[in-house]
């Protein structure tokens, strides 16, 4: 499997997942400005969506969208317990993956876009903070998003919370989130993924 990534982008979540799953994979860095790979390939030819992550499977199939790639990686290593297998626990996991994707990750996106009017930044950050308050409330009662067990939803949440500092926000504003962030960051798979992407905290 080949994971196309940009250092520190949302592709860090599937990168962590592949390490947590103990799956063999290779990494291909995509340049944000040029959209070319390290081997000077046009990334749009690989993934017409133009953004990361993209996972190219052994049979050449292309898989995109963070929550979907995370579910695929979980399916590759069912014994690793990275997501609940079925029933209501599975639905809760999908609920958090979707919340992180649509309410947290995509609340960040316009804040990073150079074309976003400056006047949007303050209300945009306030909106993001309201969504993080939902997580804070939950993590006040639970060690992980799914309760007592780590899941790939935590890896995704960690990935997006790393961006708070870029938005004049600090994860320390949310004490339970900070505790969760530190917990996830200390996992060997997470430390290895951060180091491999050249991200020193
Ligand atoms: N819906 C996509 C969003 C992916 C996304 O936002 N990727 C960002 C990095 S975090 C990106 O590559 N941005 C560059 C661009 O949109 O051109 C997913 O879940 O994978």
């Amino acid at each position: 499997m080949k994971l196309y990534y940009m250092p520190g982008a949302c592709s860090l979540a599937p990168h962590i997942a592949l390490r947590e799953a103990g799956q063999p994979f290779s990494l291909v860095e995509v340049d944000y400005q040029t959209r070319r790979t390290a081997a000077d390939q046009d990334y749009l030819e690989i993934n017409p969506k133009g953004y990361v992550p993209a996972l190219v499977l052994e049979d050449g199939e292309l898989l995109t969208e963070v929550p979907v790639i995370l579910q695929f990686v979980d399916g590759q290593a069912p014994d690793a317990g990275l997501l609940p297998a079925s029933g209501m626990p599975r639905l809760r996991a999908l609920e958090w993956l979707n919340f992180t994707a649509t309410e947290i990750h995509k609340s960040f996106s316009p804040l990073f876009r150079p074309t976003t009017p400056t006047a949007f930044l303050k209300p945009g950050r306030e909106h993001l903070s309201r969504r993080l308050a939902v997580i804070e409330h939950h993590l006040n009662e639970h060690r992980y998003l799914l309760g007592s067990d780590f899941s790939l939803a935590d890896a995704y949440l960690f990935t997006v919370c790393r961006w708070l500092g870029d938005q004049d926000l600090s994860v320390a504003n949310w004490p339970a989130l900070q505790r969760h962030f530190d917990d996830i960051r200390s996992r060997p798979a997470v430390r290895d993924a951060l180091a491999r992407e050249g991200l020193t905290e």
Side-chain angles (χ1 to χ4, degrees), residues 6 9-11 32 35 50-53 64-67 101 105-106 109 156 163:
M6 293 177 191
C10 53
S11 42
Y32 178 75
R35 303 293 147 119
Y51 52 67
V52 292
T64 62
E65 305 302 319
V66 173
H105 180 174
K106 283 298 144 183
S109 297
Y156 191 13
W163 307 334

Side-chain angles (χ1 to χ4, degrees), residues 93-172:
L94 300 187
E95 194 175 32
W96 281 118
L97 287 177
N98 206 62
F99 183 81
T100 304
T102 61
E103 301 296 334
I104 309 282
H105 180 174
K106 283 298 144 183
S107 293
F108 271 105
S109 297
L111 303 175
F112 281 120
R113 231 169 268 140
T115 50
T116 296
T118 312
F120 175 81
L121 296 180
K122 188 168 178 285
R125 287 169 183 156
E126 285 167 358
H127 172 80
L128 175 61
S129 298
R130 280 194 296 278
R131 293 298 185 259
L132 287 169
V134 173
I135 304 251
E136 176 70 8
H137 181 74
H138 185 74
L139 290 178
N140 265 321
E141 305 291 327
H142 306 280
R143 179 171 177 189
Y144 297 112
L145 287 173
L146 296 187
S148 52
D149 295 323
F150 167 82
S151 76
L152 295 183
D154 299 296
Y156 191 13
L157 177 62
F158 169 81
T159 295
V160 294
C161 285
R162 284 192 66 261
W163 307 334
L164 283 168
D166 299 326
Q167 294 303 328
D168 288 339
L169 293 166
S170 168
V171 72

